[in-house]
Amino acid sequence: MSRRREISWILVLVVGLAGGIGRVAAQTAAPAAKATLPTVVVLATGGTIAGAAESDVQAGYKSGQVGVEQLLAAVPQAKKLATLRGEQVANIGSQDMNDEVWLKLARRVSALAAMPDVDGVVITHGTDTIEETAYFLNLVVKTRKPIVLTAAMRPSTALSADGPLNFFNAVAVAANKEAAGRGVLVVVNDWIHGASSLTKTSTTAVQTFLSPVWGLIGTVAYGEAEFYRGPVGRNTQDTEFPIESITSLPRVDIIMAHENMDGALIEAAVAAGAKGLVIAGVGNGNMTQAALDVLAAQAKKGIVCVRSSRVATGRVGRSVEVDDDKYGFVASLGLNPQKSRVLLRLALNRTKDVKQIQRMFDEY
Ligand code: ASP
C-alpha cells in the first residue's frame, strides 16, 4: 500500500470511529431535560373578574365573590403557560380600594419579585380603580420582572364573561421574558397597557380601557404577545419611592373644576387634612379666577397644588394659560387627576418643594 493510501485509510478509520463513538454517546446521553415552565404568582384582590350574579344575563351583581382558587380552576388552560400559585390579598370591589390593601399588596408584590423562583406576578383587580393601583405599583415596586394586572367588565357568571381570557392573556404576558423591564402592565381585552397611560373610558363596555396619549405597550391574542414600546417615564426598576420606605400616604384630594366654581371645596379639603390638592381643571388645567385665588393662597401656606384636567386626553402644560411660577403650582403634564394624586402622595412623603415635585411629574 502506498504511503498516501495508508494515510487516507487511517483517516477513514478515525472519522468512522469518531462517528460511531458520537452515535453511541448520543444514544446513551440522558434525555434532554423537560423545559420547565416559568412560575407566576397570582394575587387576587376581588373586582368583577371575581364577581357573581344570580343569572347570566343580569346587569346587577356583586364584586369579589369568587376566591383565587376558583379563579385558577376556571382557567385550566393557563397551567400550560406557567406554574401557578394563588394568594388572596383582598376580595373587594375596587371602588373600595384603600391604603391598607395598597401597602399590603405592594409589599407582597415586592417580596415575590425578589424571589429567584418567581418569574412574574399577576394581580386580579376591579376595573374601577385598576389604573390607580397599577400606577401606584409602577412607582413603588423596584423590579424588572413582569407585574401584570388584569380585570373584567363582566362577572364570572355572565354570558360571554371576559375574565377567563383576560386572565389567560395576563398569565401569558407575566410568563413572557419580553415583558420584563416595561414597568407595571395592565392586560385587558387583548391589549397590553402601560400603567401610566391607561384609563377607563366606558362605564360598561368590555373595550373600556384606552391608552389615549401614549398608545399601547403591545397586544396579546390567545396568549401570543407582541410588544411595541417600552414604558413612558421612570418606573419600577428606577423608582425613588420604593415600598420599603413607605409606612403611610398623606391625604390628597381631587377637586373638579366647573362653571361658576368658587374656592369653598378647596378650603374644605385643606380643613379635612389634605396636604396636597389636584384640580381636575377645565381644558388645559384651568379654573375660575375665584378658585385660582383660593388655590394660590393654599399654595402659599405649603399645600402642594397640582393642575390636571377633567378632559379625557391630552397634556396639561406648565404655564400655558395659568402662570404656574407666579402661583406656585405644579402642572400634571401627561397624568390624569387620579394618577396625579398617586404621584403627589408619594412625592409628599419625600418633599414639599414645588420645584422638586414638578421634576417628579416630569420624570414619572
Ligand atoms: N366595581 C367593579 C370593581 O372595580 C367594576 C369592575 O371590576 O369591573 O371592582
Side-chain angles (χ1 to χ4, degrees):
M1 208 185 275
S2 76
R3 180 121 184 92
R4 242 209 196 151
R5 255 208 197 153
E6 220 174 279
I7 292 172
S8 30
W9 272 113
I10 292 169
L11 267 175
V12 167
L13 206 70
V14 168
V15 171
L17 260 176
I21 291 166
R23 270 196 297 279
V24 172
Q27 277 161 11
T28 52
K34 209 176 141 212
T36 50
L37 289 174
T39 296
V40 171
V41 180
V42 179
L43 301 180
T45 70
T48 297
I49 195 166
E54 266 158 34
S55 99
D56 57 2
V57 286
Q58 176 178 315
Y61 68 96
K62 270 190 111 178
S63 282
Q65 298 299 297
V66 172
V68 67
E69 292 309 327
Q70 254 176 292
L71 254 171
L72 294 181
V75 194
Q77 299 85 340
K79 291 197 186 111
K80 292 199 176 127
L81 303 170
T83 302
L84 297 175
R85 292 206 309 263
E87 294 177 22
Q88 195 80 45
V89 174
N91 211 356
I92 55 176
S94 75
Q95 57 270 42
D96 279 325
M97 191 46 70
N98 55 64
D99 293 358
E100 197 188 327
V101 177
W102 262 12
L103 295 178
K104 181 177 167 194
L105 178 66
R107 288 193 185 112
R108 190 64 191 138
V109 175
S110 179
L112 288 167
M115 293 178 188
D117 63 334
V118 172
D119 298 289
V121 178
V122 166
I123 299 156
T124 57
H125 199 286
T127 59
D128 288 356
T129 59
I130 196 171
E131 62 189 277
E132 285 153 83
T133 300
Y135 189 56
F136 174 65
L137 295 174
N138 193 54
L139 295 180
V140 302
V141 178
K142 214 170 175 122
T143 184
R144 278 183 58 78
K145 288 187 186 170
I147 310 296
V148 181
L149 285 88
T150 192
M153 288 298 285
R154 296 178 181 145
S156 63
T157 48
L159 194 63
S160 289
D162 51 336
L165 185 54
N166 285 346
F167 179 75
F168 179 80
N169 281 335
V171 171
V173 172
N176 189 326
K177 282 199 168 71
E178 274 192 75
R182 292 181 198 267
V184 170
L185 303 172
V186 178
V187 170
V188 187
N189 207 34
D190 290 2
W191 285 357
I192 307 170
H193 299 271
S196 48
S197 59
L198 95 150
T199 192
K200 187 172 183 178
T201 65
S202 163
T203 51
T204 55
V206 167
Q207 69 278 19
T208 184
F209 287 105
L210 297 177
S211 282
V213 180
W214 294 303
L216 296 176
I217 294 257
T219 56
V220 52
Y222 298 101
E224 290 293 324
E226 269 201 75
F227 295 93
Y228 308 139
R229 68 165 175 88
V232 173
R234 285 173 67 177
N235 60 81
T236 51
Q237 50 209 321
D238 52 9
T239 181
E240 68 195 273
F241 315 107
I243 187 64
E244 292 72 23
S245 67
I246 299 166
T247 50
S248 64
L249 295 160
R251 178 173 177 141
V252 169
D253 289 325
I254 300 173
I255 298 169
M256 190 190 275
H258 49 79
E259 174 271 341
N260 210 39
M261 181 186 191
D262 65 16
L265 287 182
I266 294 172
E267 281 165 347
V270 175
K275 303 289 179 256
L277 295 172
V278 175
I279 305 295
V282 292
N284 201 336
N286 294 318
M287 66 206 87
T288 59
Q289 191 59 50
L292 267 181
D293 291 341
V294 175
L295 198 66
Q298 296 301 340
K300 262 212 174 90
K301 284 196 235 155
I303 304 298
V304 179
C305 303
V306 175
R307 291 187 310 107
S308 184
S309 179
R310 68 180 200 179
V311 179
T313 118
R315 279 167 69 86
V316 169
R318 205 174 154 77
S319 298
V320 176
E321 287 184 72
V322 174
D323 188 339
D324 289 308
D325 293 326
K326 177 174 128 196
Y327 290 113
F329 297 157
V330 173
S332 72
L333 310 178
L335 293 180
N336 66 19
Q338 52 274 36
K339 287 186 201 165
S340 297
R341 174 177 172 272
V342 175
L343 179 55
L344 182 53
R345 296 183 84 195
L346 291 167
L348 284 169
N349 260 346
R350 302 196 79 80
T351 181
K352 287 187 90 179
D353 183 272
V354 172
K355 275 209 176 97
Q356 269 302 313
I357 294 178
Q358 184 67 69
R359 192 263 307 155
M360 291 167 181
F361 274 77
D362 258 319
E363 291 181 0
Y364 287 90

